[in-house]
Amino acid sequence: FLYTLLGSILILVVLIGLYLSVRDPDSSDQIVHTFNMLHMADPANFVEHTIFNPSAPWNIGALNAREWAFLFLFIGFAIKLPMFPVHTWLPDAHVEAPTPVSVVLAALLLKIGGYGFLRIAWPIFPEAALDFSWLVGLFGVISIIYGGLNAMASKDLKRLIAYSSVSHMGFVLLGIASLTTEGVTGAIYQMFSHGIISALLFLIAGVIADRTHDRTIDHYSGLASKMPAYFTIVLIGFFASMGLPAFSGFIAEVLVFLGAFKSNSVNGLLHESLAIISTLGLVLGAAYYLWTIQRMFFGPLSVKGEARIEQLTPLTPLEYTSMVPLCVAAIVFGIFPQLLIDWINPYTEGFVRFVLETGKELNI
C-alpha cells in the first residue's frame, strides 16, 4: 500500500502539472486545460511560461521540470512494474495473497507499469526519455539478474515465481529503453506473454497450496509419479517461462535481445554490453526452474512438514479448466507469433519514430 501510494503521488503531481501546462487545441476563445494524452504528446499544445513548456521548461535544481517529470513518472510506474530496487513489495504480496489474487496481480496489475511507460512517460516527455534511456536499460538489466538470483535462493514456490516476474519485467524495461521496433515489440509481447505464463505459474503453486497448505520446495520429492497430469502442466509452465522455443516467452525475449543489440548502431541509446549481460538472465531462469523440477518432481516420492502423501489428489475438472487454456495459449502464441505481432507492429513503428524524432527536435 505504501509503495503504491508513493508511486501514485508522483504520477499525480506530474498529471496536475501537465493539466496546467497543456491547452485544448480545439478551443479557440480561451485557454481550456485538458487531460487528453494525445494533446499532451504534441509540443505545440503547451502554454507559454508554464512549468512543462518544451521550449522553456522551468529549471529545478540540476534538471529541468520536464526531466523531473519523466523521472517521477518512471519511478511511479516502475513501482507497479515492479523494477529493482522498488520491487520488494511484490514477493511479500504474492506470498500473503490467495491464489486468485496472485493470478490477477501478476497477469494484469504489473502490466500497468509497462503501459504507463509506453502511453504516458515516453510520448509526452520524449527528449527526457532519450536522455535517460541508458538508465532505464541499466535498471532493466539489474532487475533481470537480481530477480533471477533471488528466485534461485527462494524456498517458497510462490516467492520463486514472484522473483521470476521481477526478472521478466526487466526484459520489458530493456526493450522499451532500446527504442527500436524490435525491442518495443518484444517488450509488449513480453507483457502479453508474461500475463499468460505468470497466471499459469501461480495456479500451479495454488494446486499444491490448496492440498497441503505448504509451498516449501524442499518438502516435496517425486511428485511426477503421484500427479503425472499436474507434472505435465508444470513442465509447460516452467518451460514457457524459461523462454524455450515454441513458447510465447521465447518470441518476446528474442525480440528484446534483437532490439537491445541493434540499439547502439541505430540510435546510440544502449550499449551492446547491456544486451550481453542480460543474457545471463536466461541462464538463471533455466537454473532455478530446472532445479525446482529436479527437487519437487524427480526422485523417490516423499513429503515433509505437515503435508501428507494422501493429500496429493489428482487435478479437479475446475483446475484443468483454468490451466489447460493458458497452456494452449502459451504454445499457440509461441508457434504463431504473427497473430499478435501484426497488431503490435503498426503501433510500435509509429511510437519509435515519434519518440526519436520529437525527442531530438526538443533536445536541439
Side-chain angles (χ1 to χ4, degrees):
F1 177 81
L2 292 175
Y3 261 113
T4 306
L5 179 64
L6 171 63
S8 299
I9 289 173
L10 295 178
I11 295 170
L12 178 62
V13 168
V14 176
L15 292 182
I16 292 173
L18 282 169
Y19 175 77
L20 297 175
S21 301
V22 179
R23 64 181 294 275
D24 187 346
D26 299 327
S27 176
S28 56
D29 297 335
Q30 58 183 348
I31 295 177
V32 177
H33 297 292
T34 178
F35 280 113
N36 189 312
M37 290 187 287
L38 295 178
H39 296 337
M40 292 177 179
D42 187 349
N45 294 330
F46 283 79
V47 181
E48 290 186 10
H49 309 302
T50 53
I51 185 170
F52 293 142
N53 179 23
S55 58
W58 296 7
N59 287 317
I60 306 173
L63 304 174
N64 66 51
R66 289 179 63 85
E67 291 171 327
W68 281 116
F70 176 81
L71 290 177
F72 276 21
L73 289 175
F74 175 63
I75 295 171
F77 289 121
I79 290 172
K80 300 179 187 303
L81 193 64
M83 174 197 79
F84 171 89
V86 290
H87 68 285
T88 52
W89 64 270
L90 182 71
D92 293 334
H94 275 307
V95 168
E96 298 298 330
T99 299
V101 175
S102 287
V103 170
V104 174
L105 174 62
L108 297 177
L109 183 62
L110 303 190
K111 312 308 176 287
I112 298 297
Y115 179 81
F117 291 151
L118 294 168
R119 194 73 174 85
I120 301 174
W122 263 250
I124 297 177
F125 302 103
E127 77 283 15
L130 297 183
D131 292 339
F132 290 111
S133 281
W134 65 271
L135 182 65
V136 178
L138 178 63
F139 274 115
V141 173
I142 294 174
S143 295
I144 292 170
I145 307 302
Y146 183 84
L149 290 173
N150 274 278
M152 283 197 70
S154 298
K155 297 180 180 179
D156 185 292
L157 183 59
K158 250 192 174 185
R159 190 174 290 272
L160 180 147
I161 298 168
Y163 275 117
S164 79
S165 293
V166 175
S167 183
H168 285 100
M169 290 298 99
F171 286 107
V172 174
L173 282 172
L174 184 63
I176 296 174
S178 72
L179 269 180
T180 58
T181 302
E182 295 87 347
V184 177
T185 300
I188 299 173
Y189 208 96
Q190 176 76 321
M191 288 193 286
F192 178 84
S193 168
H194 184 263
I196 295 170
I197 296 169
S198 64
L200 175 60
L201 293 177
F202 280 110
L203 288 171
I204 286 170
V207 168
I208 286 291
D210 289 344
R211 283 162 171 73
T212 65
H213 307 291
D214 186 354
R215 299 187 303 265
T216 306
I217 295 171
D218 291 335
H219 286 182
Y220 298 95
S221 176
L223 294 185
S225 60
K226 180 68 174 176
M227 305 174 71
Y230 176 64
F231 176 56
T232 302
I233 292 175
V234 168
L235 286 182
I236 294 174
F238 282 11
F239 287 169
S241 190
M242 282 166 53
L244 289 189
F247 295 101
S248 57
F250 172 78
I251 304 297
E253 291 173 7
V254 163
L255 288 172
V256 169
F257 284 130
L258 287 174
F261 275 108
K262 182 181 176 182
S263 179
N264 194 31
S265 60
V266 173
N267 52 42
L269 295 179
L270 295 185
H271 195 268
E272 289 89 349
S273 59
L274 290 178
I276 294 171
I277 296 171
S278 66
T279 57
L280 181 58
L282 301 181
V283 179
L284 291 172
Y288 58 74
Y289 279 129
L290 293 177
W291 193 26
T292 301
I293 291 172
Q294 185 263 328
R295 285 182 289 174
M296 291 186 68
F297 294 93
F298 293 136
L301 176 63
S302 67
V303 295
K304 301 175 184 176
E306 297 181 2
R308 298 290 178 265
I309 291 179
E310 54 269 18
Q311 294 175 311
L312 302 174
T313 55
L315 295 178
T316 65
L318 179 61
E319 290 168 338
Y320 278 116
T321 303
S322 61
M323 291 191 288
V324 170
L326 295 172
C327 293
V328 172
I331 296 171
V332 167
F333 288 104
I335 299 176
F336 303 106
Q338 292 303 126
L339 292 173
L340 194 59
I341 290 178
D342 286 343
W343 287 82
I344 298 174
N345 261 348
Y347 162 79
T348 303
E349 292 170 357
F351 170 85
V352 171
R353 189 185 315 113
F354 174 83
V355 173
L356 287 174
E357 293 178 357
T358 308
K360 290 175 181 176
E361 289 175 4
L362 296 177
N363 270 331
I364 293 176

